[in-house]
Amino acid sequence: MFECLHSTHVFTSPNDDNGYDISDYRGIMKEFGTMKDFDELLKGMHQRKIKLVLDLVVNHSSDEHVWFRESRKSRTNPYRNYYHWWNAEKGKPSHRYSFFDVEGSAWKYDSTTDAYYLHYFSEKQPDLNWENPKVRKEIYDMMHFWFKKGVDGFRMDVISAISKDTTFPELPAKYKGDYIAYYAEGPYLHKYLKEMNEKILSKYDVISVAEGLGVTTETAHKFVDQERKELDMLYHFEGMGLGYLPGQFRQMDPKGKSLTDFKKIYSKWDSVFAKKGWGTIYLGNHDQPRMVTRWGNDAPKYREASSKMLTTFLLTMRATPYYYFGDELGMNNIKFDKIEDYRDIETINYYRKLQNEGGDLDYFLQGQKISARDNGRTPFQWDDSKNAGFTKGKPWLKVNPNYKKINVAAQEKDPDSVLNYFRKMVRLRKSLPELIYGKYELLDRDNEKVYAYTRALNKKKVLVLLNFSTSLTKFEIPKTSGSLNVLMNNIASLNIKNNIVTLEPYQALLIRLK
Ligand code: TEU
């Protein structure tokens, strides 16, 4: 059985957005090394039975990519139509929301040709014109290049936004101002995904997973149903917004987040793929804060137990788990105090936007301590040497000062460490098909402290109990034939009397029922 590793992008990039602005799709970013290094990495991974999935960032390129440098030279340049241009004499184009633009506008005026170009993300990330068959051919040829090298698949960056209505009408009223939903329903999106499958993906033994920005339970099957011959999997964003104040940028609701809402979202998405298709599950990635800070509790007395509890959740759901580097150590948010410490364009540009508007900068920075993307991007903590053993150079982001305690070297030798618990859970999931393919059934849905569910397959049934709270919590275990068989417990103590278990704060238990 192959493990799968998804590396975020390694392509040549001026790094305006952490590499998600690619200037050469067949080049390796110099900060990471050379193509020879990449080939050696891929060979070594395959020798260790690990597959490598790269990031396909083709909704947009960098503005330093030769395609765009040519495209902006003149209105008749052969690459002009590789991007979306709106000639200024037609007046201002209809508003389009930009995720990173300080003014929030996705149109940038370019005096060279007296025209505007479209950029859903930063102005250094112009959107590629997928309506142009030459652009699609360029991208498919580039995918061939990497698949011929032996790369095992692509995670596809905001692939849901690649198709645009190039008449650029006002946002249709039915979207009620929700640009993300509109961006995810471009007119020819699924025609292009089918074409990509037919011309590329179907030719190789590879996986394809969509970053499903704006994808809903209603539209998900269009991407992944096998008979549609588009993609293998997608990940949705519905859980990621939980607990944020509506209309505010990544500001946590002081009332906290509701576990019943959390359970509702993940149970709903389990049911989306209950009969066909296959889902994914994640709680962290390079666009999210650290899992244990966001969904667990990173206070010293709870960090390890809650990190293990969240690992138990991810590895016992009926979906492919996407597990983010560092979460297996229980790495938590670094919580910068100063804007100067941030490197992420999303945080920096939003801060500048607020500055221009005279907004509350302290309130914003407080919020970013919990929700900023840079919290999930601090260097990996290998050991307690300088820079946590990550580099002898100067890391791009400060290392979390708690690396002296939280690091691989310390956790390798501790059988009860977060790392070794992660390994035990991976082995257990692999050994019990009911944890992978078993029917998922939510129990006690209104319980605001415990997330309880069963996984059942071929007369085998396992109960999963996850205490998401800081309090001792009783839970009645369904009657079983014979004595209770506890398969996994993330803490040392266990208190079960007559089928009533008293769960410690953040305790996670797997109990065989059949
Ligand atoms: O992310 C798209 C995306 O949805 C995030 O930008 C998210 O919307 C944003 O963080 C909202 O707060 C992908 C990549 O994962 C991200 O790293 C890139 O910045 C972005 O696309 C542009 O390539």
Side-chain angles (χ1 to χ4, degrees):
M1 163 94 101
F2 267 84
E3 297 286 353
C4 200
L5 178 126
H6 156 224
S7 94
T8 67
H9 49 71
V10 292
F11 306 105
T12 309
S13 164
N15 255 326
D16 184 56
D17 174 22
N18 192 42
Y20 278 87
D21 47 312
I22 295 170
S23 52
D24 177 0
Y25 287 103
R26 288 182 174 78
I28 297 293
M29 192 192 293
K30 61 186 181 325
E31 290 87 340
F32 290 138
T34 65
M35 188 61 83
K36 187 166 164 302
D37 299 330
F38 175 86
D39 295 341
E40 195 187 327
L41 167 74
L42 186 57
K43 189 158 158 260
M45 291 177 74
H46 285 169
Q47 283 162 346
R48 291 166 179 77
K49 294 210 161 314
I50 303 175
K51 291 192 178 226
L52 176 60
V53 172
L54 291 182
D55 220 316
L56 185 74
V57 186
V58 288
N59 170 71
H60 45 269
S61 75
S62 165
D63 65 347
E64 297 181 26
H65 192 291
V66 62
W67 297 340
F68 190 74
R69 284 192 279 119
E70 286 298 316
S71 182
R72 71 188 324 165
K73 279 183 180 162
S74 78
R75 293 186 181 190
T76 55
N77 183 290
Y79 287 91
R80 184 67 170 182
N81 204 19
Y82 271 45
Y83 296 87
H84 295 285
W85 290 94
W86 182 276
N87 296 338
E89 65 273 16
K90 295 198 297 184
K92 279 198 123 223
S94 311
H95 176 71
R96 288 289 181 270
Y97 161 75
S98 165
F99 290 84
F100 299 156
D101 189 77
V102 175
E103 271 111 46
S105 166
W107 290 106
K108 173 76 176 162
Y109 178 74
D110 191 290
S111 57
T112 317
T113 56
D114 188 26
Y116 299 86
Y117 67 85
L118 183 72
H119 61 92
Y120 281 175
F121 293 89
S122 88
E123 61 188 48
K124 283 185 68 58
Q125 293 168 297
D127 281 50
L128 284 160
N129 177 9
W130 273 72
E131 280 40 66
N132 177 349
K134 286 195 192 127
V135 168
R136 299 199 303 273
K137 181 167 183 337
E138 295 267 16
I139 292 167
Y140 300 155
D141 291 351
M142 174 264 286
M143 294 170 77
H144 267 303
F145 169 81
W146 290 105
F147 285 155
K148 283 202 184 90
K149 263 186 179 298
V151 164
D152 304 292
F154 278 111
R155 173 257 189 202
M156 302 186 177
D157 192 63
V158 272
I159 202 77
S160 50
I162 58 177
S163 174
K164 280 86 174 168
D165 176 340
T166 52
T167 66
F168 295 106
E170 286 302 325
L171 181 71
K174 74 172 184 174
Y175 290 99
K176 304 189 180 70
D178 184 346
Y179 280 92
I180 294 178
Y182 173 69
Y183 290 167
E185 290 179 5
Y188 305 109
L189 170 60
H190 291 288
K191 175 175 164 233
Y192 300 149
L193 296 180
K194 273 186 181 38
E195 182 185 71
M196 181 195 279
N197 185 299
E198 187 223 326
K199 291 192 183 304
I200 304 288
L201 300 172
S202 58
K203 310 272 187 261
Y204 301 90
D205 174 18
V206 292
I207 71 158
S208 55
V209 55
E211 183 197 22
L213 190 68
V215 175
T216 66
T217 49
E218 281 71 45
T219 58
H221 277 287
K222 289 185 180 169
F223 291 80
V224 297
D225 281 5
Q226 278 172 330
E227 72 272 7
R228 289 179 60 95
K229 294 193 174 14
E230 299 186 24
L231 307 178
D232 299 315
M233 286 181 273
L234 67 89
Y235 61 86
H236 64 85
F237 283 66
E238 193 171 341
M240 293 303 115
L242 197 65
Y244 286 150
L245 288 166
Q248 294 200 26
F249 179 69
R250 292 196 179 208
Q251 280 290 353
M252 291 303 294
D253 182 333
K255 290 200 301 303
K257 45 190 178 292
S258 125
L259 180 62
T260 46
D261 290 348
F262 183 92
K263 294 193 271 189
K264 228 182 263 142
I265 290 171
Y266 290 102
S267 300
K268 178 176 71 172
W269 277 93
D270 174 83
S271 62
V272 167
F273 300 112
K275 300 236 172 344
K276 66 179 183 173
W278 181 257
T280 65
I281 189 105
Y282 70 99
L283 287 177
N285 61 33
H286 63 286
D287 287 337
Q288 303 299 329
R290 279 279 165 205
M291 156 174 105
V292 70
T293 304
R294 178 83 166 86
W295 305 106
N297 186 326
D298 65 3
K301 78 189 265 193
Y302 295 128
R303 183 186 62 79
E304 292 194 11
S306 68
S307 182
K308 294 174 183 177
M309 181 276 287
L310 294 169
T311 293
T312 312
F313 169 66
L314 290 173
L315 297 178
T316 57
M317 288 295 276
R318 198 176 69 84
T320 294
Y322 282 73
Y323 201 93
Y324 187 52
F325 88 93
D327 288 342
E328 76 275 24
L329 302 180
M331 283 173 62
N332 62 334
N333 281 13
I334 192 167
K335 303 173 181 167
F336 289 132
D337 296 314
K338 305 193 302 295
I339 189 66
E340 291 75 19
D341 285 326
Y342 283 99
R343 292 290 168 276
D344 180 19
I345 187 172
E346 184 173 59
T347 295
I348 292 167
N349 279 11
Y350 202 89
Y351 185 89
R352 286 172 49 207
K353 181 173 183 303
L354 281 174
Q355 255 177 336
N356 299 347
E357 297 162 354
D360 183 339
L361 300 174
D362 290 343
Y363 172 69
F364 171 71
L365 285 177
Q366 281 309 317
Q368 288 289 288
K369 286 186 176 186
I370 300 303
S371 63
R373 305 194 302 178
D374 272 344
N375 285 302
R377 297 176 178 188
T378 55
F380 187 71
Q381 298 165 208
W382 289 103
D383 57 36
D384 60 4
S385 67
K386 188 164 177 289
N387 292 329
F390 184 85
T391 177
K392 299 215 174 351
K394 183 174 182 315
W396 72 94
L397 267 180
K398 285 181 178 167
V399 175
N400 193 320
N402 63 15
Y403 74 88
K404 291 264 182 224
K405 192 165 170 298
I406 302 175
N407 63 63
V408 174
Q411 297 196 25
E412 278 286 9
K413 46 183 184 277
D414 167 3
D416 296 329
S417 67
V418 177
L419 176 59
N420 284 318
Y421 182 84
F422 167 75
R423 289 170 173 157
K424 278 190 281 187
M425 270 309 303
V426 169
R427 284 195 291 274
L428 185 69
R429 180 180 174 91
K430 283 183 163 181
S431 67
L432 298 182
E434 57 267 36
L435 288 184
I436 301 175
Y437 305 106
K439 181 176 178 317
Y440 162 92
E441 186 186 349
L442 178 63
L443 306 179
D444 197 3
R445 67 180 58 250
D446 303 325
N447 189 320
E448 253 316 330
K449 290 197 169 76
V450 175
Y451 192 162
Y453 49 96
T454 57
R455 303 294 314 279
L457 186 71
N458 308 339
K459 300 195 175 43
K460 296 263 178 69
K461 184 183 260 189
V462 172
L463 169 68
V464 181
L465 294 178
L466 308 171
N467 186 358
F468 270 74
S469 76
T470 55
S471 47
L472 285 178
T473 313
K474 291 192 181 320
F475 191 89
E476 182 170 359
I477 299 168
K479 291 271 174 291
T480 64
S481 50
S483 66
L484 277 181
N485 170 6
V486 176
L487 301 171
M488 187 66 80
N489 179 4
N490 67 332
I491 63 172
S493 68
L494 180 64
N495 174 345
I496 301 180
K497 290 192 187 62
N498 313 334
N499 275 60
I500 304 293
V501 58
T502 303
L503 295 169
E504 296 286 329
Y506 301 106
Q507 184 164 19
L509 288 178
L510 266 65
I511 298 171
R512 176 160 302 290
L513 296 181
K514 286 194 192 130

